[in-house]
Amino acid sequence: MCFEFDYFLSSDGGSLSNGSADSAGYGSYCLQARTGQKQTVRLDFGRGVTNNEAEYRSLISGLKDLASRIQRAGKSPAGYSLLVHTDSQLMVGQLTQGWQVKAANLRPLVDEAAALIRAFGRCDLVKVPRDEIVRVLGH
């Protein structure tokens, strides 16, 4: 893959039995460096997690992972660019287009994700078709 960014992150989350007390949140993300190094991480968020919470938690996990890798190398995320692909229109709208956050359970997740995004020199969040996410992450 050829891209102008230093890193590429694909992120997705979901919930089995979404909206019920028995819901089970899950997610994954794939980090790829311009060098071609690539790693996919699977996540289990447990019971009571909605699909939107799982989308945000997956993104936050990927952003934290990348930022900590950069910091362990003695550098700052501010010196790097990142392209994020997600199929969540809600997440893209809330984080990049000023959409209101109406669900109280999402407010802390939106704030955390926004702060992590601002830590990078450049971070573009792009909504992509669901089938592209499935191709990369398998769900």
Side-chain angles (χ1 to χ4, degrees):
M1 168 182 267
C2 178
F3 49 93
E4 67 183 89
F5 295 85
D6 297 307
Y7 293 97
F8 177 66
L9 170 66
S10 291
S11 173
D12 188 40
S15 181
L16 301 173
S17 302
N18 188 48
S20 76
D22 291 332
S23 64
Y26 64 90
S28 59
Y29 61 88
C30 179
L31 278 175
Q32 185 173 350
R34 187 186 305 210
T35 61
Q37 292 175 306
K38 186 176 176 179
Q39 182 181 15
T40 301
V41 176
R42 305 278 180 221
L43 305 162
D44 179 4
F45 300 122
R47 299 267 180 229
V49 175
T50 69
N51 63 324
N52 289 329
E53 289 170 327
E55 289 277 12
Y56 271 104
R57 288 183 182 190
S58 297
L59 173 63
I60 288 166
S61 294
L63 292 169
K64 282 182 172 180
D65 184 3
L66 179 57
S68 71
R69 290 173 191 228
I70 292 169
Q71 290 164 343
R72 281 194 308 272
K75 304 198 177 178
S76 169
Y80 294 89
S81 60
L82 171 64
L83 174 62
V84 177
H85 279 184
T86 177
D87 66 354
S88 172
Q89 185 65 50
L90 178 71
M91 214 163 50
V92 171
Q94 288 175 334
L95 291 169
T96 68
Q97 299 168 7
W99 289 13
Q100 280 188 328
V101 180
K102 296 178 182 176
N105 62 321
L106 294 183
R107 171 49 59 198
L109 297 171
V110 172
D111 292 345
E112 184 176 7
L116 288 162
I117 286 168
R118 285 191 304 271
F120 289 89
R122 177 180 176 190
C123 182
D124 290 2
L125 193 65
V126 178
K127 192 231 182 260
V128 297
R130 175 89 189 119
D131 60 336
E132 184 174 327
I133 294 295
V134 170
R135 181 184 53 76
V136 173
L137 297 173
H139 67 88

